[in-house]
Amino acid sequence: MLLSKKTMMGVGSAGLIAALAMHSGIAMAQDAQMRGNIRVVIGSTSTGGDTYQNASIVVDRLAEHLGLNMKVDAVGASSAFRTLDRDSRGNTLMIFHDQSYLGHLYGVQGYDDIFEKYTIGPTIAINPGNAYLVAKDSPYETLDDIIEAVGNGETVRVAIQPGGVSEIGFSALKNAIAIEHPGQEDNLVAVNTGSQSDKNQQLFDGQADVINGSVQANEQYTRLPEDDQKAMRFVWLTARQGTIEQALEEGLGQTTREQLLEYVEPNVDVTMGEDENFTFDKEFFFLYNKEMDQGIVDQIDEALAAIYDEGSIQEAQLNAFFIPDFNPSEEASEYLQEKMTRYEEIISNIN
């Protein structure tokens, strides 16, 4: 919009500068909005996993609310970070989970300190299903049995995918054993492997005694009869009790919410010392290029606040066994940094 001749004649040089500055500010504010096609990269290559499913629920509603074309692209963590690094315009956003900072704490190549390198966007949901399982005919009935066995000198092998959400429960368990049975923690041995199917196979073949899994991926195996080679049972869910209590009463598959609560604290204790027990909620959130305009950060915060206030997104998330968890960017960044600090202590203790 051009200033009119009348307006220009009616102001002195100082007034004209102020008017132009005001006009420039309006233009900048207008520019600080998402435009065109928006690519939302995720830290997973799977279009059937929880990251893709979670991102799709949120991005579809965000696109509709803003009237934009937004697409979720499952490119994997390394590629997602590189892609985000190259685009400060706001046409590339990222959704990932706690792996994004745990990978850095574990020293995994390609993971930088996200709180220094990126702008943290809002949290959107929790996957409460992070779990540990044994074969249904395992001699270990409970997690306490596993801790006692390791403390008594038995070797217990745990199949994990190293360097993130899959490993943090293993680290906490090893730390608890070091506290309760000093010097015996090395009897808990990590079997480093890849995808969930790889971890499952380790259990099927008798190459692992315990595996990291999830309610979503492994609940089907807990329904099998004990004499089936693939039969499993849960011994631990890392989520907080209050998180599981927010799930639908029917739970997932044939496992109800009440049954799932048997595998979280206070029914299952993994000590962190000083009367504190370990819990871990797998949380999903946006990440942005550090140079992206604050106006776009605010735009997404405001849009998601309206979407969550409307309420239907929570129903979709709960039906997919996710727990709604919207917090705007500033609150999310502060909370996640505090969360990282808590788990950094555990990782440091066992390393």
Side-chain angles (χ1 to χ4, degrees):
M1 181 182 72
L2 297 175
L3 294 174
S4 69
K5 186 175 181 180
K6 180 179 179 181
T7 300
M8 293 177 68
M9 291 175 62
V11 295
S13 59
L16 180 58
I17 291 170
L20 288 169
M22 182 181 71
H23 169 63
S24 175
I26 292 170
M28 287 177 66
Q30 289 173 341
D31 287 341
Q33 300 286 310
M34 288 190 292
R35 300 176 184 276
N37 297 323
I38 310 300
R39 184 185 184 194
V40 183
V41 293
I42 63 171
S44 169
T45 57
S46 171
T47 56
D50 60 346
T51 305
Y52 187 87
Q53 188 177 10
N54 216 319
S56 295
I57 291 172
V58 173
V59 169
D60 287 351
R61 283 159 177 78
L62 195 57
E64 183 179 0
H65 183 86
L66 295 172
L68 293 170
N69 179 29
M70 302 181 71
K71 177 188 175 185
V72 178
D73 198 356
V75 298
S78 297
S79 181
F81 285 127
R82 288 196 303 269
T83 304
L84 192 62
D85 290 342
R86 293 193 297 266
D87 187 357
S88 62
R89 302 165 302 161
N91 290 90
T92 303
L93 314 174
M94 182 175 176
I95 291 177
F96 204 17
H97 51 69
D98 304 87
Q99 173 89 22
S100 57
Y101 63 82
L102 288 174
H104 176 65
L105 294 182
Y106 280 114
V108 178
Q109 187 174 2
Y111 284 83
D112 295 308
D113 184 345
I114 62 169
F115 300 103
E116 288 187 2
K117 191 167 184 180
Y118 304 102
T119 297
I120 306 303
T123 56
I124 52 175
I126 298 169
N127 179 352
N130 188 46
Y132 287 81
L133 303 96
V134 297
K136 194 167 274 189
D137 62 358
S138 169
Y140 308 122
E141 293 290 332
T142 66
L143 196 68
D144 280 343
D145 290 344
I146 294 168
I147 293 171
E148 286 302 312
V150 173
N152 289 330
E154 291 184 33
T155 297
V156 175
R157 303 159 300 170
V158 185
I160 60 170
Q161 185 173 6
V165 170
S166 181
E167 187 170 0
I168 188 65
F170 171 82
S171 298
L173 188 56
K174 194 160 190 170
N175 182 58
I177 293 165
I179 293 170
E180 296 182 4
H181 305 280
Q184 300 298 313
E185 61 272 15
D186 287 343
N187 295 322
L188 190 75
V189 177
V191 178
N192 291 330
T193 185
S195 67
Q196 190 59 59
S197 60
D198 294 334
K199 288 180 280 188
N200 292 348
Q201 196 62 49
Q202 294 288 331
L203 194 66
F204 300 155
D205 295 342
Q207 300 302 308
D209 306 296
V210 186
I211 63 168
N212 170 247
S214 71
V215 174
Q216 293 92 329
N218 295 93
E219 190 272 342
Q220 58 182 316
Y221 297 107
T222 67
R223 307 178 210 160
L224 299 174
E226 187 171 314
D227 60 357
D228 192 307
Q229 182 189 9
K230 296 184 176 181
M232 307 177 185
R233 51 186 168 78
F234 296 112
V235 290
W236 182 29
L237 277 85
T238 65
R240 293 173 290 185
Q241 181 185 35
T243 300
I244 298 293
E245 285 174 342
Q246 295 177 62
L248 297 178
E249 187 176 357
E250 57 266 31
L252 186 76
Q254 296 177 15
T255 306
T256 65
R257 180 179 64 197
E258 199 64 33
Q259 290 171 311
L260 293 173
L261 285 168
E262 295 174 13
Y263 306 112
V264 301
E265 70 156 350
N267 296 317
V268 177
D269 290 336
V270 177
T271 185
M272 292 176 63
E274 299 181 355
D275 298 323
E276 184 180 4
N277 288 323
F278 171 87
T279 57
F280 180 82
D281 283 342
K282 182 180 180 182
E283 298 184 72
F284 295 81
F285 52 93
F286 278 87
L287 296 99
Y288 307 134
N289 183 291
K290 196 78 169 179
E291 303 304 317
M292 190 179 82
D293 198 291
Q294 181 63 36
I296 299 176
V297 176
D298 296 338
Q299 180 188 19
I300 296 171
D301 275 353
E302 290 164 9
L304 286 176
I307 290 166
Y308 277 83
D309 187 58
E310 187 275 329
S312 64
I313 190 172
Q314 288 93 325
E315 184 178 352
Q317 289 174 325
L318 287 167
N319 285 334
F321 199 66
F322 297 123
I323 307 302
D325 181 42
F326 170 69
N327 289 287
S329 300
E330 189 173 344
E331 293 175 27
S333 180
E334 182 178 346
Y335 163 73
L336 289 167
Q337 286 186 69
E338 291 173 356
K339 185 178 182 182
M340 181 185 74
T341 300
R342 289 201 309 274
Y343 297 121
E344 184 175 15
E345 184 178 347
I346 291 173
I347 293 168
S348 297
N349 287 345
I350 59 106
N351 287 336

